[in-house]
Amino acid sequence: GLHVDLSITGCSDSDGEEMYSLDGEELWFADFINHRGVEPQPSFIDHISYVEGTYEGAVANQQVCKQNLKTIREAMKDIPLEN
């Protein structure tokens, strides 16, 4: 059957998120406070593990996100709110 696979990466100046889900169930998220990946899966399913380095990739994605945020802010600083 068909499945819905979703990944979310987002950031702000002070926070960030990276998360993976399947069919509406969260499979993995980055815990940036405790510096680790978390797999909050219930005990009654076959556990799905992510490859080693997934957390480090999430940290790198946050750096890219924050740089993109900075670039977009600079590019849009002189654009008026209304045309």
Side-chain angles (χ1 to χ4, degrees):
L2 297 175
H3 296 280
V4 177
D5 185 22
L6 177 69
S7 69
I8 296 173
T9 301
C11 65
S12 68
D13 290 331
S14 61
D15 202 4
E17 180 168 350
E18 182 138 349
M19 183 274 301
Y20 302 108
S21 72
L22 180 64
D23 294 335
E25 297 293 329
E26 190 173 45
L27 298 178
W28 186 93
F29 69 89
D31 180 349
F32 293 117
I33 294 171
N34 294 306
H35 309 284
R36 65 188 184 100
V38 178
E39 297 174 338
Q41 301 164 39
S43 61
F44 58 84
I45 68 166
D46 290 335
H47 189 81
I48 300 169
S49 291
Y50 283 78
V51 297
E52 187 173 328
T54 301
Y55 176 76
E56 291 76 12
V59 170
N61 289 343
Q62 287 300 297
Q63 296 306 311
V64 171
C65 185
K66 289 180 181 184
Q67 183 59 46
N68 288 343
L69 184 61
K70 179 181 173 188
T71 301
I72 290 168
R73 282 184 178 147
E74 290 173 5
M76 297 183 71
K77 71 178 179 183
D78 295 326
I79 296 176
L81 294 176
E82 293 184 18
N83 288 332

